[in-house]
Amino acid sequence: MSQQLLSSYARMFATSNVALAVIDGTTLEIVFSNDAFLRFFKEMQLISGRSMLHEFEPLSDALSTTLASSELVVHEWPHANARLEFSAAHAGAQGDADDHRLVQCVVLPLPSHGTALDVASPAPPAPLASEAYRRILDHFPHNVWLCTVSGELFWTNRTSNLFTYGRAEFHDPDSSAYITKIHPDDLTGAGVALSKAMQAGHMETPYRYRLRDHAGNYHWFQFTMAPVLDAHGEPTYWVGTSINIQHIHDAEQQALAELKALQRRCESNESRLISSERLVAQQHKMELVAHLAGGVAHDLNNLLHVMGINIELMQPLVQQEALQRHMRILEGCIKKAGRLSTQLAGFSGRLPQNAVALDPAVLVEDIRELLSRAVGAEIELCIVIEGQPHAVLADKSYLENALINLAINARDAMDGRGSVTLRVANQVEAGADGQQRDHVVFSLQDEGSGMSAAVRERIFDPFFTTKAPDKGTGLGLPMVRTFVENSGGHITVESVEGQGSCVSIHLPRTEQAPEAAVIAQPSPQTSGQGRILLVEDDRNVRDAMNHILTRLGYDTIPSFSFDHAVKLLEGGMRPDLIVSDVRMPGRMSINDLIGMVETVVPVPLIFVTGYSAEVVVKEGLIHDKYPVLFKPFSAQEISARIRDMLEARSLGPDPHAVA
């Protein structure tokens, strides 16, 4: 028989209106069937709510009889108006074992004279069996399926078949083809959801899973199911629906992505807010520290000023050389304390005073002994000067104190062991504008305990310290950084826990040549003549100044406030010179005194203060129109300044004229 003829027979068999099938009598699986048989079989399962081959005993009995007798067995099914003829099938060679397992089934219309058999099958509800309701289920826009009480899928509607298999009609005799369509990651969960629903008798929560369509693409579905009960309230079978929710899933994913992006923005904004709050708190703290530092420095300078003047007053009375030596030591200590007090006042942020061009190598050599004492005898101090460092523009006292401060911190971190290295070298660095510029770097490396990242972030916070309460105030490094930044430089810190730290001061190079060191010789205290109005609210300072001015030969008129001094001038007092503090309590201010001097009593005016230069600038004392002496100052300094002012007055009518 030709291949073409075989193909023609196959087409005729597949398209025949007579329902034909070959069934494995042992496994009860449909080996082959045409479309007519599949439609009949599917319809019968839909009507009965059962898997016809596995759960309908009359059919299984007919199959068994056919296999045993090899004779034609007829089963009439009145509910389906059908006659099923079973006969042994011979598809292989004679004696082939498979021939004894295969049964051919032909479905024919039931003859009108046929005898109805007792079919042990409950009659389904009439509407479900109707052609109209079947078409409704087949064209329902969602997947509809039926399964037995044991979970065996035996019917799917046309919508499900088209989506899943690409065909309107599809029969799954083994109830297993659908398994390959469920995403492997969702199969276990779907099975659990099905089992729980059957155990509980209802499904509480729909289950989401992915199904593969006939093109191989997965889509998100949500299925739910409910039992179909018999007259006794027992489940006959289960009906389920699977709804395509891919568009909902996509919208959820997009919303989730937007939510995560919003969360990231919120976290970023929260981080910036926290940083801003910390910055504001830090600024408030700095303002408080600056205010406290200015007040403390002012009071300290007044005390140092009184001490210095009294030492000068005692020097002529002391004849013993040993006591003179001790008094000179006290004078040196007062000067050093004055520099520290000035640095404390400078913590408020004023620009460094007396900034001059410095030779770094010379400066470090000058304080070598002080650095050695700062680190202590048990620690080795190494100083390395690389090449010829460039000159820097800075306040000498500030830079010295900064290096000594760093040396003390290194000592405290080393617990009395190891070495400290101070290295000075030139370095080219990029500025804020990206331009390369020459810098001089003062690096102080220790072999101490190092710092954690959390500690490194806070070392410049005012009052933060890891030292014992009696060992540190937490102001040293903040003061060093303030000085460095006001000098146009920056400070860097490198540290690893257990491996030591390196703190580096970076100062920009200056083209100015360093000034040669000049040893200042004290000017002699020359006697003067004249009347001085002394305006000072601190009694100790006023008394000390009164003593020194009287000793210099001047007549003094003490005054304790701007209010009092202005009233004296308004009353007709005409001094030759006025020495006044910058700030004092009372209703009037420094401007009232200056206004009186400039409009009514044109006399020379010298200001003295224990505050920083920033306060002087705020009070309007700029362009050196009025000289200012910063406490503590010596008798020689006030003597020289008074003499200069009185001599300038004698040369012209306007002692306040500005060139």
Side-chain angles (χ1 to χ4, degrees):
M1 185 177 294
S2 67
Q3 186 67 33
Q4 183 177 2
L5 185 58
L6 288 174
S7 298
S8 298
Y9 283 151
R11 285 196 300 272
M12 292 173 59
F13 179 77
T15 58
S16 173
N17 292 327
V18 179
L20 302 172
V22 177
I23 302 172
D24 189 316
T26 303
T27 63
L28 301 183
E29 294 178 359
I30 298 176
V31 178
F32 177 80
S33 67
N34 63 359
D35 292 342
F37 184 87
L38 289 180
R39 285 194 298 272
F40 169 78
F41 200 79
K42 184 176 179 181
E43 182 74 15
M44 293 305 100
Q45 291 192 139
L46 178 62
I47 294 173
S48 66
R50 294 186 180 189
S51 175
M52 297 307 300
L53 294 179
H54 295 85
E55 294 187 340
F56 192 40
E57 292 181 0
L59 292 187
S60 60
D61 291 343
L63 289 171
S64 299
T65 302
T66 302
L67 290 174
S69 63
S70 297
E71 296 179 355
L72 178 66
V73 177
V74 177
H75 173 74
E76 295 184 350
W77 196 354
H79 287 65
N81 192 30
R83 171 190 175 97
L84 279 67
E85 296 181 353
F86 297 94
S87 60
H90 297 281
Q94 290 291 334
D96 192 337
D98 287 342
D99 282 344
H100 300 287
R101 293 188 296 104
L102 301 179
V103 176
Q104 177 178 291
C105 178
V106 180
V107 182
L108 300 171
L110 186 66
S112 58
H113 54 77
T115 303
L117 299 178
D118 183 14
V119 181
S121 174
L128 185 61
S130 68
E131 181 68 19
Y133 274 89
R134 188 187 68 79
R135 282 200 301 269
I136 290 174
L137 287 177
D138 268 341
H139 292 83
F140 197 66
H142 304 302
N143 297 355
V144 180
W145 43 268
L146 303 179
C147 70
T148 66
V149 292
S150 60
E152 182 182 4
L153 186 71
F154 63 82
W155 184 85
T156 54
N157 69 341
R158 182 175 182 272
T159 303
S160 177
N161 293 333
L162 287 173
F163 175 86
T164 310
Y165 305 105
R167 301 198 301 272
E169 296 291 342
F170 181 84
H171 180 63
D172 180 15
D174 297 334
S175 299
S176 60
Y178 76 94
I179 295 176
T180 62
K181 295 296 184 177
I182 300 177
H183 195 285
D185 294 342
D186 303 330
L187 185 59
T188 302
V192 171
L194 184 77
S195 175
K196 284 184 176 181
M198 289 186 169
Q199 290 177 12
H202 65 280
M203 192 169 191
E204 295 182 354
T205 305
Y207 181 78
R208 289 187 174 190
Y209 66 134
R210 283 162 287 184
L211 285 179
R212 191 174 72 244
D213 63 14
H214 59 278
N217 303 312
Y218 281 101
H219 301 258
W220 279 97
F221 277 75
Q222 177 174 281
F223 86 81
T224 187
M225 54 190 294
V228 177
L229 306 178
D230 60 15
H232 303 288
E234 295 296 327
T236 302
Y237 57 93
W238 288 73
V239 58
T241 58
S242 295
I243 301 175
N244 192 322
I245 59 169
Q246 185 63 46
H247 63 290
I248 297 177
H249 178 269
D250 293 342
E252 289 175 345
Q253 293 301 308
Q254 182 179 356
L256 182 60
E258 293 175 355
L259 178 60
K260 289 182 178 179
L262 181 61
Q263 288 176 337
R264 288 193 295 268
R265 289 197 297 270
C266 289
E267 290 173 358
S268 176
N269 291 337
E270 183 179 5
S271 177
R272 287 197 293 267
L273 178 60
I274 292 174
S275 299
S276 299
E277 289 176 347
R278 288 177 179 173
L279 180 60
V280 171
Q282 182 76 358
Q283 290 175 342
H284 288 168
K285 186 184 294 185
M286 292 293 291
E287 292 174 0
L288 175 61
V289 171
H291 179 73
L292 292 175
V296 171
H298 171 266
D299 295 341
L300 180 59
N301 284 334
N302 279 341
L303 295 175
L304 294 173
H305 184 56
V306 173
M307 292 168 62
I309 288 179
N310 278 279
I311 288 176
E312 289 189 80
L313 292 173
M314 289 188 295
Q315 280 180 338
L317 305 178
V318 177
Q319 302 300 325
Q320 298 182 19
E321 179 60 29
L323 292 178
Q324 286 284 348
R325 185 172 66 255
H326 291 312
M327 295 185 72
R328 285 194 294 272
I329 293 175
L330 289 176
E331 282 186 316
C333 291
I334 289 175
K335 290 181 180 179
K336 291 181 180 179
R339 289 198 297 268
L340 292 175
S341 177
T342 301
Q343 186 176 6
L344 181 62
F347 186 61
S348 61
R350 70 180 178 92
L351 294 176
Q353 298 298 305
N354 303 319
V356 296
L358 301 173
D359 185 329
V362 174
L363 180 138
V364 171
E365 188 61 33
D366 288 344
I367 61 171
R368 178 187 289 270
E369 183 177 355
L370 292 176
L371 291 172
S372 298
R373 292 178 181 176
V375 299
E378 297 84 2
I379 296 176
E380 179 185 3
L381 174 67
C382 301
I383 297 179
V384 180
I385 308 295
E386 296 184 358
Q388 180 58 49
H390 301 308
V392 295
L393 189 65
D395 186 296
K396 184 173 183 293
S397 297
Y398 274 45
L399 183 53
E400 291 175 347
N401 288 334
L403 295 175
I404 293 172
N405 195 312
L406 296 181
I408 293 174
N409 285 345
R411 175 202 66 192
D412 294 341
M414 294 176 61
D415 197 21
R417 296 185 302 274
S419 63
V420 173
T421 301
L422 173 60
R423 188 180 306 274
V424 183
N426 295 328
Q427 184 169 304
V428 178
E429 301 177 0
D433 56 359
Q435 297 295 323
Q436 299 289 327
R437 292 184 176 85
D438 291 330
H439 284 73
V440 178
V441 183
F442 300 79
S443 298
L444 201 137
Q445 175 78 51
D446 65 59
E447 298 176 347
S449 57
M451 294 177 284
S452 65
V455 171
R456 286 200 306 272
E457 291 180 358
R458 298 193 59 193
I459 58 174
F460 294 113
D461 291 352
F463 302 117
F464 174 78
T465 179
T466 57
K467 301 178 184 178
D470 58 340
K471 296 296 184 181
T473 62
L475 289 176
L477 284 176
M479 292 169 64
V480 171
R481 186 173 70 170
T482 299
F483 152 67
V484 173
E485 291 179 349
N486 287 337
S487 300
H490 62 280
I491 186 169
T492 59
V493 179
E494 299 176 4
S495 183
V496 178
E497 283 190 279
Q499 300 182 23
S501 303
C502 181
V503 183
S504 301
I505 294 175
H506 304 248
L507 295 178
R509 174 185 183 181
T510 181
E511 298 299 332
Q512 299 181 24
E515 298 180 359
V518 178
I519 301 176
Q521 298 293 335
S523 58
Q525 296 183 13
T526 57
S527 298
Q529 185 177 2
R531 297 164 299 183
I532 297 177
L533 177 60
L534 178 61
V535 187
E536 172 64 59
D537 61 315
D538 189 294
R539 187 182 65 181
N540 292 328
V541 176
R542 188 171 61 247
D543 291 345
M545 288 288 294
N546 186 52
H547 281 298
I548 198 68
L549 292 175
T550 300
R551 185 169 180 176
L552 290 173
Y554 298 103
D555 296 321
T556 61
I557 304 100
S559 179
F560 51 84
S561 69
F562 290 132
D563 300 44
H564 183 251
V566 170
K567 288 181 179 179
L568 291 176
L569 296 174
E570 288 177 342
M573 179 175 288
R574 295 299 181 263
D576 298 309
L577 182 138
I578 299 175
V579 176
S580 174
D581 199 348
V582 172
R583 282 185 173 178
M584 283 180 289
R587 181 175 56 85
M588 295 186 179
S589 67
I590 188 174
N591 293 324
D592 295 306
L593 180 62
I594 292 175
M596 178 61 66
V597 169
E598 292 182 347
T599 59
V600 180
V601 187
V603 297
L605 181 56
I606 298 175
F607 286 104
V608 297
T609 183
Y611 287 108
S612 67
E614 182 192 27
V615 174
V616 174
V617 173
K618 287 182 178 179
E619 296 296 345
L621 303 179
I622 56 178
H623 304 309
D624 293 328
K625 185 175 184 179
Y626 298 99
V628 180
L629 292 177
F630 292 92
K631 302 173 186 176
F633 52 81
S634 65
Q636 287 89 350
E637 290 178 282
I638 188 67
S639 174
R641 187 54 61 94
I642 291 174
R643 185 179 64 252
D644 292 343
M645 295 296 291
L646 292 177
E647 289 178 356
R649 184 189 187 193
S650 65
L651 296 176
D654 186 3
H656 307 303
V658 179

